[in-house]
Amino acid sequence: MRKKITIPDLLNMMREGHKISMLTSYDFPFTRIMDAAGVDVILVGDSAGVVFAGHDTTLPVTMEDMLYHTRAVVRALPKALVVADMPFMSYQTGIEEACRNCGRMIKDGGAEAVKIEGGTNMAPVIRAVSSIDIPVMAHIGLTPQSFHRMGGYKVQGRKDQAEKIIEDARAVEAAGAFAVVLEAIPAKLAAQITAELSIPTIGIGAGPSCDGQVLVIHDILGLCEKYSPKFVKHYAELGPIIDDAVKQYVHEVREGHFPTEDHSFN
Ligand code: KIV
């Protein structure tokens, strides 16, 4: 039986050159399946706001939403490390509120680590939260909670912006983050940051050199019609399979073919 994955295990994987696999999950059944399939880290992403709840951005997601999803994931008892995203406005308004909310995600949600978006600007928060023994995964490059400042979901760190991303990476490592997500930055820049940092880099749209990769589960299963960035790979197309199953059910109910005696009580 596979053993529980811890933060030191991820650091060892990085040192030994074993790539780290991470996927998002928001509920019990998907967590059971992906954990049995061997994923290393489960991210309860605030992408739930888009792929699960149907918002256009992650900005409306609340602490209560994230606690609900995190508890559902944790109930599946995954061997993978469970990291929960801190939603917009749960950590940006001050260090005390950030520590309290991150603490809730661990204590009430059951997460084993939290993820915070931001680089040099969030370094004091990452330092404070890490110093009370709440492990923090940082997230730099394209940070979806900065949607309005960035003017949409755009690649970050091209040309003269590259130095800013490198500064962010150095700042989150120095502040105590145990890993950092690099989202939508040029592959060469991600390779440079990965070579420089001593914590694992987890890429999403950041090329093949990162220590690990993360994608959104609905994206890899072909379940997100709204938005499909270049960095997504569809490993399955579940949309048509669900469509066929539902059509068949509706047809059988209408025609009186379901339920049969097999589905009825004596
Ligand atoms: O919310 C999320 O799913 C994320 C990943 C895409 C990194 O932050």
Side-chain angles (χ1 to χ4, degrees):
M1 207 170 80
R2 115 181 155 110
K3 76 175 201 42
K4 179 71 188 163
I5 296 185
T6 64
I7 288 167
D9 290 332
L10 297 183
L11 295 173
N12 285 336
M13 286 175 76
M14 176 197 72
R15 288 187 197 116
E16 289 166 10
H18 299 305
K19 297 274 189 184
I20 299 165
S21 61
M22 174 159 133
L23 272 176
T24 67
S25 186
Y26 320 104
D27 63 27
F28 180 91
F30 271 102
T31 303
R32 297 277 288 201
I33 294 168
M34 69 176 74
D35 196 56
V39 74
D40 299 309
V41 184
I42 291 175
L43 172 66
V44 189
D46 62 351
S47 49
V50 178
V51 299
F52 176 91
H55 296 295
D56 287 334
T57 70
T58 56
L59 300 178
V61 176
T62 65
M63 272 298 293
E64 298 314 314
D65 295 336
M66 290 308 300
L67 284 166
Y68 173 81
H69 288 295
T70 303
R71 288 184 191 120
V73 165
V74 168
R75 238 171 261 136
L77 304 176
K79 299 289 183 204
L81 183 81
V82 177
V83 181
D85 248 338
M86 295 307 295
F88 181 56
M89 294 309 280
S90 68
Y91 60 93
Q92 290 93 339
T93 51
I95 286 187
E96 195 176 324
E97 189 172 22
C99 288
R100 228 175 267 294
N101 281 328
C102 291
R104 261 193 95 194
M105 205 59 86
I106 305 287
K107 207 171 160 133
D108 302 343
E112 292 151 350
V114 296
K115 179 162 79 57
I116 286 179
E117 294 185 11
T120 50
N121 59 335
M122 283 299 140
V125 170
I126 295 172
R127 183 168 292 108
V129 173
S130 303
S131 77
I132 53 170
D133 278 344
I134 297 176
V136 178
M137 178 178 280
H139 182 161
I140 64 173
L142 194 175
T143 46
Q145 293 175 19
S146 315
F147 181 84
H148 294 305
R149 174 175 61 77
M150 290 178 173
Y153 298 124
K154 296 185 177 159
V155 175
Q156 304 293 307
R158 283 198 170 123
K159 299 182 185 151
D160 54 350
Q161 277 186 0
E163 199 50 44
K164 166 77 180 97
I165 306 290
I166 294 170
E167 271 173 32
D168 284 340
R170 288 178 182 149
V172 299
E173 175 173 44
F178 75 88
V180 57
V181 170
L182 306 178
E183 179 162 354
I185 64 171
K188 259 193 178 168
L189 177 59
Q192 189 184 336
I193 291 171
T194 301
E196 182 178 325
L197 297 195
S198 55
I199 56 172
T201 58
I202 311 289
I204 171 163
S209 301
C210 297
D211 299 304
Q213 296 292 328
V214 58
L215 283 175
V216 168
I217 185 68
H218 288 61
D219 286 340
I220 75 164
L221 299 180
L223 289 174
C224 194
E225 296 156 1
K226 260 191 180 171
Y227 169 70
S228 193
K230 180 181 177 192
F231 55 74
V232 166
K233 179 170 175 185
H234 288 196
Y235 286 84
E237 291 296 344
L238 294 196
I241 294 173
I242 296 170
D243 183 63
D244 280 352
V246 172
K247 279 184 178 145
Q248 199 179 330
Y249 166 76
V250 169
H251 173 77
E252 290 193 6
V253 169
R254 285 188 183 147
E255 298 300 313
H257 298 157
F258 176 86
T260 63
E261 259 182 39
D262 287 348
H263 310 106
S264 308
F265 299 108
N266 290 321

